[in-house]
Amino acid sequence: MTRLLLIEDQLKLRRNLSQVFEKDGYEVETCGTGEQGFYMATTEPFDALILDLSLPGRDGFQILSDLRAGGITLPVLILTARDSVDDRVRGLDLGADDYLVKPFAHLELLARVRALLRRSRPNQSAELKCNDVHIDVMARRVSRNGVEIELSVREYELLEYLMRHKNSNVTRQMLSIDIWKEPGGIMTNAIDVCVNSLRKKIELPGTSPLILTIRGVGYTIRETA
């Protein structure tokens, strides 16, 4: 799952944005101070940082400057009420990848984060296709034969993972570590439950199964055309 770090000192806004991002399928970690935010940004893996400027302790400009000075290339979107041209220029010159002024529309923020992630992953395909199943990765949309299928966050992650490894065997340990984030690859029936749930939504009656079980190993999706 794509992980975002949100550094925002306003508790109400922080909670609101966290819910917005989580509803859109992101895993979000939040904090309200500059020092804590800088620590998290430098000690944990994230795919992007949403950064306020006016923070207690180390402010957003200093966090950004310190991250870039330390060679950390984490994509950064500045989200702030400071709307002067000088602030915009300073933020971008210090290494921010985007700058959005409050107040803002949630849809615009989500679109800018998607664009930020798209630019940061130039070699990762934004679209996945296997037989008649299609995934728009950035929009997190799945369709089969042109009909959109609604999946839960976990079902989507599972299908995207299988599609990225199509024609290869995906072990239960791979799924446990990469999707369920179990450090030791602990086996649980959560994988089976999710696969069964996904099959009910993605498989078509009267056609060959899309998701194949590899007994004693895991699962695979194979291109048949």
Side-chain angles (χ1 to χ4, degrees):
M1 181 182 289
T2 301
R3 296 187 81 225
L4 303 179
L5 174 58
L6 170 63
I7 307 177
E8 167 61 59
D9 66 331
Q10 298 180 48
L11 178 59
K12 185 176 180 181
L13 179 59
R14 191 165 70 240
R15 286 176 174 171
N16 176 261
L17 289 181
S18 181
Q19 292 174 351
V20 168
F21 284 127
E22 288 175 352
K23 189 176 180 181
D24 210 47
Y26 296 101
E27 180 180 341
V28 186
E29 298 292 336
T30 67
C31 63
T33 69
E35 292 300 337
Q36 184 186 4
F38 180 76
Y39 176 78
M40 293 176 70
T42 54
T43 58
E44 297 183 37
F46 291 101
D47 296 288
L49 167 61
I50 315 302
L51 177 64
D52 189 13
L53 289 180
S54 301
L55 296 165
R58 194 182 312 217
D59 71 13
F61 284 136
Q62 192 60 54
I63 290 174
L64 184 57
S65 176
D66 292 343
L67 288 176
R68 296 310 187 226
I72 294 176
T73 59
L74 178 68
V76 175
L77 186 155
I78 290 177
L79 189 63
T80 179
R82 297 168 66 165
D83 61 355
S84 73
V85 172
D86 286 346
D87 283 332
R88 293 170 190 255
V89 170
R90 184 182 178 192
L92 294 171
D93 281 349
L94 284 173
D97 299 277
D98 200 357
Y99 194 111
L100 182 60
V101 175
K102 302 171 184 175
F104 55 90
H106 290 166
L107 288 177
E108 182 180 1
L109 173 62
L110 291 172
R112 285 176 181 256
V113 170
R114 287 196 296 272
L116 197 68
L117 294 169
R118 193 162 52 239
R119 291 195 297 272
S120 69
R121 299 167 176 169
N123 297 321
Q124 190 174 80
S125 174
E127 294 187 2
L128 299 174
K129 188 176 184 306
C130 183
N131 304 324
D132 54 1
V133 178
H134 177 266
I135 296 181
D136 181 336
V137 176
M138 298 313 301
R140 299 174 73 86
R141 290 197 185 96
V142 176
S143 62
R144 184 164 192 183
N145 278 337
V147 178
E148 190 164 327
I149 300 170
E150 187 171 342
L151 302 178
S152 69
V153 171
R154 191 68 86 191
E155 291 164 352
Y156 172 85
E157 291 172 353
L158 174 61
L159 180 62
E160 181 185 335
Y161 192 88
L162 291 171
M163 295 272 282
R164 289 197 182 279
H165 295 80
K166 69 179 180 180
N167 301 321
S168 301
N169 293 340
V170 173
T171 68
R172 292 167 57 80
Q173 186 176 33
M174 291 166 65
L175 294 173
S176 180
I177 293 173
D178 294 338
I179 303 298
W180 272 262
K181 307 301 182 187
E182 293 286 351
I186 300 172
M187 306 301 180
T188 73
N189 68 354
I191 296 174
D192 300 316
V193 171
C194 191
V195 168
N196 289 336
S197 174
L198 176 59
R199 278 174 164 155
K200 289 178 182 176
K201 296 180 179 180
I202 200 76
E203 301 289 4
L204 295 178
T207 64
S208 300
L210 175 73
I211 303 173
L212 304 176
T213 299
I214 310 299
R215 189 175 299 277
V217 178
Y219 304 93
T220 188
I221 287 178
R222 300 197 185 284
E223 187 84 61
T224 58

